[in-house]
Each structure stands twice: as C-alpha cells, then as structure tokens.
Amino acid sequence: MVTPDNKLGDEAIAVKGWWKAWQWLVLRRVTQLGILAAFLAGPWLGIWIVKGNLASSLTLGVLPLSDPYLIVQSMFAGHLPELTAISGAIIVLVFYTLIGGRSYCAWVCPVNIITDTAECLRRKLGIKSAASISRNARYWLLAASLLLASITGTMAWELVNPATLIARSLVFGVGFSLFMIAFIFVLDTLVSRRAWCGHLCPMGAFYSLLGYYSIVRVSAYNRSQCDDCMECFAVCPEPQVIKPALKGEAKGNGPVIVSANCTNCGRCIDICSKDVFKFDSRFNNKVSATETHQREVLP
Amino acid sequence: MTATGNINRRQFLVKLARNAGGIALLGMGLGIYSRQSLSLPAQAIRPPGVANEKDFLSACVRCGLCVRGCPYDTLRLADFAADVPVGTPWFEARKVPCEMCEDIPCVKACPTGALNPDLTNIDDARMGIAVITDQESCIAFQGLRCEVCYNICPLENKAITLDRQHNARTGKHAMFIPVVHSDACTGCGKCEHACILEEAAIKVMPLKLAKGELGHHYRLGWKEKQKAGGSLVTPDKEHKYNLPKGMQYDYEGKGLIDERKKNVPFSSNPLDTLNQRKQP
C-alpha cells in the first residue's frame, strides 16, 4: 500500500525506533555542519583547522584539497594549476571515486541543506508544481560550463555557480550571496521538485561522473521484503535510480543501485521499515545474492 | 509516450531542442556577464603576483587561502553581485593598503598559481602604480610642506622622489613635488592610504590605465648613442673655435681652458697675490 505524504516515515519510526529511522540524515547533517564548523573555527575562534573553502583548502597546514571540477574548469580556461592544487584535486578525485561521487552532494555540499529544506517545505505545503526539466540538463550544463571556460578563457561558471558561491559565502561572509541562497530555495520550493541538485547542477553532474564506478553504493539487498509502500521513492532526491535495483530482479538486475546519480544519502535506508536497503559494495551485486543476505541477516 | 515507454521522434526533438535552447541561452548570458566581469574597477587592486586580469580569472579558484594568509586583513573576497568578480581576492588601498610582507604569505598560500609563485621579492610586485591624480588639491603643489606619501613609501626615495621646484607665487620659496617612478613603485597603496586629504590626491591605478607607452618605432637619439658608444649617423666632429694660441674650449665639459695660465706666476685669485705680499 502506498504511504501518503503526510505519513512518510511514521512506520519506520514505529518499527525501528527514532534513531534508526533518521540516522543517516542526522549523520549527514553532522558531517555537513562539522565541515563548515571546521572552516569557521579559524575566523571565529582562532582555532585553525582548515583554511580556505570547499574550492581549495589546507587542512592542519599540511593536507591540500581542491575541488576537481574547479581545477578542470581552470584547465579548460587555459591555466595549468600549480602542483598543490593538482595533488589536492587528485586526492579528492580518488576519495569520491571510491565512496561514491555524489556523496559530495549529500554529505558535504551546503546547498544540500537548502534544497532538502525546500523539499521538506514543499511536502508540508503540498506544492505540486513541476517545471519540465530534464534530469540530463545538468550534463549539458556541465559541458556548457567547460565550453564557456575555454571560449572566454576565464572560469565563467564560477561567476554564478551556486554550490561554490554559497559554500564560500558561509565561510567568508554571506552578504549578497543571500540572494543566491534564496534563489535556490525558491527554485526548489516553488518551481520544481529537486530542481537544482537533481536536474541542473553541473557540479553534481561532474561528481556523478566521478562516481561512475565507485565502490560504496546503496544496495536493496533485502528487496524481496519490499511491500511497495513507495516511501523510498517519495524521499529519494533521484527516485529514478531505485527502480532498476529494487524491482529489477526479474530483469536480471542485481540489488545494488549502480546509477551514478545516486547521492549515497541513505534516506531510503532510514525510511524503509522493512530494512530493504543498506550501504554495500558495488561488487556485492549478484542477482541471487538476496537469499544469501537473508540467510546471513535472518537465520 | 507510446505503450513501450519510448518517446516518438517529435517528442524527442522537442525535448532536445528545449534543453539545448535553455542551456544555450544561459551560456550566452553568462558569456556576456563574464566579458563584463573582466573590467575590474580601477580602485580594486589585486594581490601581488597577478600579471593580467584574464589570466588571473582563468586560474583563481576563489578559495580565499590568500585572504587567510594575509596578516593585515588587507585582502578580502568579492561579494556576489559586486563590481569585482565574485569570490576573487582584492583590496582597496584607501581602506587597507598592502604592507608588502617580505615573505609574501598570500602568494605562498595560493594553491593554483593564480598568484605567481615566481614572485619571491615583494619589491618586484606590480599591483598597480601610484599616480598623483589631482595636482590642484595636493598641497605640495600649493607650495606647502607635506611629503607624507614620500615618507610612507616602503621603497624609500625610489618609488617616490621629491622634485624641488621654484615657487613662483611667493618668488622665494621652494616646492617639494612628489614624483612617482614606475620602475620602483609596486602599487602597494600605502601612499594613497596615508594621503592627508579628504579624498586622496595620490591613488593607485591599474598599470594598464595609468601607464603610457612610447611608439615601438621611436628611437631616442641620445640613448641610442649611449648604447652604441658613439654617434650612429655621422662621426662626432670635434668642435673647433678660433681662439688665441694656448686656449681651448670644451663644449660638453669644462668650458674655456686657458693653457697659458699654467706658466703665469700669479694665481687666478687676486687675493692670493695680496696675501703673499703680506708675508715677511
């Protein structure tokens, strides 16, 4: 039976308890805010943990990290960055290649907090408006941003990129960036569901590409227990990624959500009262693996 | 949609055109905006190690590590929808000038090379150039003693010198006129910051805006001559003057040389002769 919007998550809390029904969301918020706090501890308290911002940073004076999307843009604009930025970008690249490219979106990017809030408000107010934007628009935008960099010879997208703009403004002072925050919030609340992160953001698209073969994935390992409540589809920021794994046994699909657009946010794991989902390795993807897991989990 | 869940050709083309159109429009808008953003306002000065704005905007990832590296809170990141491209570091000399740290921490902090790491001597920085933009209000030009810009300049007596000129108004005083030299001025802006006027009469401007450039075909004769070690056109002729025997005239040097005087037992100073006679 399909759960109505106003009852989303009630069953999970009743069956699994509050913590199990919210844990990944809470952990994500702790991570997102923790990273922000690490950046802000310097300017606010004088405790310098990380300097810079998400575009490029220096942790504890030794570990350089750089956003590979920005470094790629810079290269398209005709600049070969110094070794510090290149090595920082490679570290980030390897990290997200392993743990899921769009884990960045769900676990680090501060815009996620804004768009999740917008989505929550949307559901509470029952806003159904939907502009027809393709889920692939972000890949076009990604290509456009790189093309624009090479045509203009500057990192043109960075003049408006909401992801870097908002992340930077939170660390270096908000000012007029509030308008960008408001823009994203209004877009996601009123114009279309998950409009920015799920359809348009080229940075997310870039991280999707990084995570094409990433090892950490969500697996519907217990898919035979699914009772079609549809709650995972309702909360998922990229609902199209679930179906092939959850309902694909007959088609010979394994239980792992292999789509690179999955953000590894873990909301499906939380919301499912039947414990269908868990974080797993992408290699644990045998079609018949379901039974093996069941034997392990429920002897 | 057809029963199989595929879309037909018309729908496919419409969808493709809509996406492509939307993104092309956005790209065009952004392209125009990015062109506009290349024109940095004159009062916005980039940190040391930036050669030109376009190269800088291809390299700066706007991380703010230079801002964190700056010990004097000189640098800041541009706000959204400001004149300076969002997130890039800049400073305004009249508010907080560059203190020209010897170890250049902002350049060292830059991970991408947007601030050129080849800059190791801060005196070689060219953030801009100080220009006395208003002689009418600069009090040195009124014949008053000020010299604050001259004294505050970190490149003492090199980037700004004082040119002593006659004060025609009083007829008997000197004016000490500050003169900026582009071969030494780094554009740090300490002079603009220190200028005692309500609105500074000396301002740091972008080099491109302030500096003139001589036509490349110009050759200054006296410099070419010096380079070549002699006249390039016709050999220098010795000047000849119709002078009495034993006298010479050095046109570019001592002037009149009287060889005969060497043999005269009298000094050219008459007092010498008088004093000589007094002696017993």
Side-chain angles (χ1 to χ4, degrees):
Chain A
M1 207 200 127
V2 177
T3 314
D5 268 6
N6 58 352
K7 295 220 163 32
L8 279 178
D10 288 359
E11 201 185 337
I13 294 172
V15 174
K16 306 196 290 186
W18 189 90
W19 171 246
K20 281 279 169 194
W22 288 104
Q23 60 170 336
W24 292 110
L25 182 66
V26 171
L27 287 172
R28 281 198 301 122
R29 292 290 177 261
V30 168
T31 313
Q32 286 162 333
L33 297 174
I35 289 169
L36 212 55
F39 277 113
L40 285 171
W44 286 6
L45 308 171
I47 307 163
W48 292 100
I49 305 167
V50 197
K51 284 182 179 178
N53 63 43
L54 288 175
S56 196
S57 63
L58 189 66
T59 306
L60 298 171
V62 285
L63 175 70
L65 295 173
S66 295
D67 192 305
Y69 175 51
L70 297 183
I71 300 303
V72 168
Q73 269 188 78
S74 180
M75 285 166 142
F76 268 83
H79 174 77
L80 183 66
E82 289 291 311
L83 207 62
T84 317
I86 301 260
S87 48
I90 289 173
I91 295 169
V92 172
L93 215 107
V94 169
F95 181 73
Y96 286 109
T97 305
L98 295 177
I99 68 150
R102 290 200 69 200
S103 305
Y104 176 81
C105 303
W107 291 79
V108 179
C109 185
V111 178
N112 173 264
I113 302 175
I114 300 164
T115 56
D116 273 1
T117 312
E119 167 67 7
C120 177
L121 189 72
R122 218 180 134 78
R123 197 179 296 140
K124 289 247 157 70
L125 298 178
I127 301 168
K128 298 284 179 202
S129 60
S132 158
I133 312 167
S134 163
R135 288 249 176 212
N136 286 329
R138 52 186 147 190
Y139 294 103
W140 288 94
L141 261 172
L142 172 61
S145 71
L146 298 180
L147 187 70
L148 212 58
S150 61
I151 292 172
T152 61
T154 67
M155 295 162 76
W157 177 248
E158 291 310 304
L159 289 172
V160 290
N161 186 354
T164 50
L165 210 148
I166 290 168
R168 181 176 49 243
S169 71
L170 292 174
V171 181
F172 283 88
V174 175
F176 278 94
S177 303
L178 263 179
F179 284 108
M180 187 54 91
I181 295 174
F183 169 75
I184 296 291
F185 187 76
V186 170
L187 181 76
D188 266 37
T189 314
L190 298 177
V191 178
S192 196
R193 178 177 189 268
R194 300 282 181 190
W196 186 257
C197 302
H199 296 79
L200 293 169
C201 181
M203 198 148 156
F206 182 86
Y207 277 96
S208 284
L209 297 180
L210 281 196
Y212 222 85
Y213 298 106
S214 70
I215 293 164
V216 178
R217 299 273 62 172
V218 173
S219 169
Y221 76 114
N222 213 359
R223 56 188 172 185
S224 58
Q225 294 296 306
C226 175
D227 64 353
D228 297 333
C229 70
M230 301 294 281
E231 287 194 39
C232 54
F233 286 93
V235 295
C236 181
E238 305 274 349
Q240 78 282 3
V241 307
I242 299 178
K243 201 178 168 190
L246 184 63
K247 298 294 168 194
E249 197 164 9
K251 287 183 186 168
N253 291 346
V256 172
I257 295 175
V258 288
S259 167
N261 286 332
C262 169
T263 66
N264 277 0
C265 73
R267 273 304 281 147
C268 54
I269 305 175
D270 282 348
I271 204 92
C272 181
S273 58
K274 305 286 181 231
D275 273 334
V276 167
F277 301 96
K278 68 165 186 178
F279 278 118
D280 205 343
S281 139
R282 81 177 298 118
F283 303 116
N284 224 343
N285 198 19
K286 291 196 190 83
V287 182
S288 56
T290 319
E291 284 91 34
T292 330
H293 274 298
Q294 274 185 337
R295 270 201 298 280
E296 283 168 9
V297 179
L298 313 159
Chain B
M1 281 199 188
T2 59
T4 53
N6 293 322
I7 51 173
N8 65 34
R9 184 184 296 162
R10 180 184 295 258
Q11 282 167 325
F12 172 76
L13 288 175
V14 165
K15 216 174 159 181
L16 189 74
R18 202 176 50 198
N19 273 316
I23 280 147
L25 275 178
L26 197 117
M28 247 159 57
L30 197 57
I32 292 163
Y33 182 36
S34 77
R35 269 180 66 87
Q36 211 175 24
S37 74
L38 279 174
S39 54
L40 195 67
Q43 75 279 7
I45 307 172
R46 291 296 187 195
V50 177
N52 78 68
E53 185 65 7
K54 198 174 175 188
D55 287 350
F56 179 69
L57 289 180
S58 75
C60 174
V61 294
R62 300 136 198 243
C63 64
L65 279 167
C66 53
V67 175
R68 295 290 186 238
C70 179
Y72 295 99
D73 288 335
T74 301
L75 294 174
R76 50 194 162 130
L77 294 184
D79 196 359
F80 184 46
D83 294 343
V84 182
V86 62
T88 55
W90 67 292
F91 69 97
E92 209 176 325
R94 188 65 168 166
K95 286 186 179 148
V96 195
C98 172
E99 294 289 339
M100 287 177 59
C101 313
E102 270 181 32
D103 53 344
I104 330 180
C106 50
V107 172
K108 276 192 184 151
C110 179
T112 64
L115 307 182
N116 192 344
D118 294 341
L119 179 74
T120 47
N121 179 2
I122 190 64
D123 292 352
D124 295 337
R126 289 295 178 267
M127 296 171 267
I129 181 166
V131 181
I132 295 159
T133 49
D134 189 10
Q135 302 190 355
E136 289 176 350
S137 57
C138 173
I139 64 166
F141 285 84
Q142 321 309 316
L144 302 172
R145 297 294 301 268
C146 173
E147 292 125 49
V148 166
C149 56
Y150 169 78
N151 285 311
I152 201 97
C153 180
L155 285 135
E156 211 182 338
N157 213 25
K158 284 185 199 148
I160 302 178
T161 54
L162 291 177
D163 189 14
R164 211 167 66 171
Q165 289 178 9
H166 172 62
N167 186 343
R169 181 178 60 84
T170 63
K172 54 189 170 185
H173 296 101
M175 299 199 291
F176 294 84
I177 303 298
V179 180
V180 181
H181 302 277
S182 65
D183 56 345
C185 176
T186 63
C188 71
K190 292 207 71 164
C191 51
E192 181 180 342
H193 183 248
C195 180
I196 58 142
L197 303 185
E198 290 290 316
E199 174 75 38
I202 186 165
K203 289 188 170 109
V204 176
M205 309 200 96
L207 278 161
K208 209 172 68 180
L209 192 70
K211 278 292 285 177
E213 195 176 341
L214 192 65
H216 294 284
H217 60 289
Y218 266 74
R219 299 288 179 271
L220 302 175
W222 58 95
K223 284 192 177 166
E224 294 301 316
K225 188 172 155 188
Q226 201 177 22
K227 247 192 272 173
S231 176
L232 289 159
V233 195
T234 49
D236 283 332
K237 265 189 188 166
E238 204 186 324
H239 284 283
K240 290 204 168 157
Y241 303 92
N242 194 12
L243 294 169
K245 204 174 183 185
M247 289 185 88
Q248 280 179 21
Y249 190 81
D250 184 0
Y251 176 66
E252 287 178 319
K254 291 178 188 166
L256 196 64
I257 303 161
D258 192 348
E259 298 261 316
R260 296 170 307 172
K261 280 192 175 169
K262 281 180 188 166
N263 306 322
V264 174
F266 307 113
S267 163
S268 59
N269 186 355
L271 282 173
D272 289 346
T273 318
L274 288 170
N275 292 334
Q276 206 176 20
R277 281 194 185 167
K278 268 186 186 173
Q279 279 166 6

